[in-house]
Every structure is written in C-alpha cells, then in structure tokens.
Amino acid sequence: MSKAKIISIIAVCLVVILLGWGYFKFYFVFGEGVKAGQLNYVVHKGYIFKTNEGKLIQDGFKSKGLEKGIQNYEFEFSVANQSIADSLMRCTGKMVELHYKEYKGTLPWRGMQQYVVDSIYSVNE
C-alpha cells in the first residue's frame, strides 16, 4: 500500500468516528419520560439563536438525612417547537405533565438544556 492510501484510510476512519461521536452526543435520544409539576415560567431568549427555555417546580418529600420536610425539585428544560412553547406560555402557574427527551449535549438552535420538551400531556388548574 502506498503512503497516500494509508493516510486517506486513516482520514476516512477519523471522519467516521467524529461523525458517530457527534450523532451520539447531540442527536441520539439518551432518555425520555414525563415530568409533572407547577410550570414556573417559559421564556424566549438568546443572543443569536432565540430559544424557548422553561422551569417546572416539582414537589417532593425529603426522606434521607437529618432534615425533614418538603423539598422542591426544579426541572429546567428547552422547547424546540414554537407552538408548544406558545401553549406553555399560557399555562404559567398551572400544574402540567410534560413529555421530554434527554440528549447528552446541547445545540444552540435547540436550546440551552439537555432536556427538550416535545409534547404536553395535560394541564390542570
């Protein structure tokens, strides 16, 4: 084999590895599920890429440790679909169930969070 052919094979292998890493880091759905709680806010913000970001407050009970009582859990998420974001903006303060997908990395046009909400299951007063 010639030296040029070996270099081109190595270059192709590196490109394939880099593309595979990029796919699994930014596009592969690592997990998905449903979170329920009170919708705190949904905002449209960003410098170059305007994205929709939100926060859901989940109530829970502390069971471990010396302190007892109620502890809040915050679920911060992004919304890629503008119509879903518009619907959520009208639901601030209400109890909602949101379906989300978890990615290992963020993309600037998809949002600032690894959790991306893709549908609304229910909205309660």
Side-chain angles (χ1 to χ4, degrees):
M1 272 195 190
S2 68
K3 187 175 182 179
K5 192 171 185 178
I6 292 173
I7 290 174
S8 65
I9 290 172
I10 291 172
V12 167
C13 289
L14 288 175
V15 167
V16 168
I17 290 170
L18 185 62
L19 288 173
W21 173 83
Y23 171 77
F24 282 107
K25 177 79 173 170
F26 300 109
Y27 291 100
F28 177 74
V29 177
F30 178 70
E32 60 183 298
V34 176
K35 294 272 188 178
Q38 184 177 11
L39 185 61
N40 193 1
Y41 64 80
V42 175
V43 295
H44 187 71
K45 65 180 180 178
Y47 292 112
I48 296 172
F49 295 102
K50 298 289 186 184
T51 60
N52 298 294
E53 309 297 324
K55 184 185 288 187
L56 187 74
I57 306 296
Q58 300 175 282
D59 290 330
F61 293 98
K62 264 189 172 176
S63 60
K64 294 183 180 178
L66 298 175
E67 297 178 32
K68 298 193 187 244
I70 297 175
Q71 176 180 0
N72 285 332
Y73 297 100
E74 296 178 348
F75 175 62
E76 294 185 352
F77 59 90
S78 297
V79 183
N81 186 321
Q82 188 62 43
S83 65
I84 293 174
D86 291 340
S87 296
L88 285 174
M89 284 182 190
R90 292 186 298 271
C91 297
T92 301
K94 296 180 181 176
M95 296 298 290
V96 296
E97 289 183 19
L98 304 175
H99 183 268
Y100 68 92
K101 293 181 179 177
E102 179 183 358
Y103 299 92
K104 287 310 228 177
T106 62
L107 293 169
W109 52 87
R110 188 169 60 199
M112 296 170 39
Q113 306 299 326
Q114 291 179 325
Y115 301 100
V116 179
V117 169
D118 60 355
S119 63
I120 304 169
Y121 278 3
S122 70
V123 177
N124 301 320
E125 293 296 322

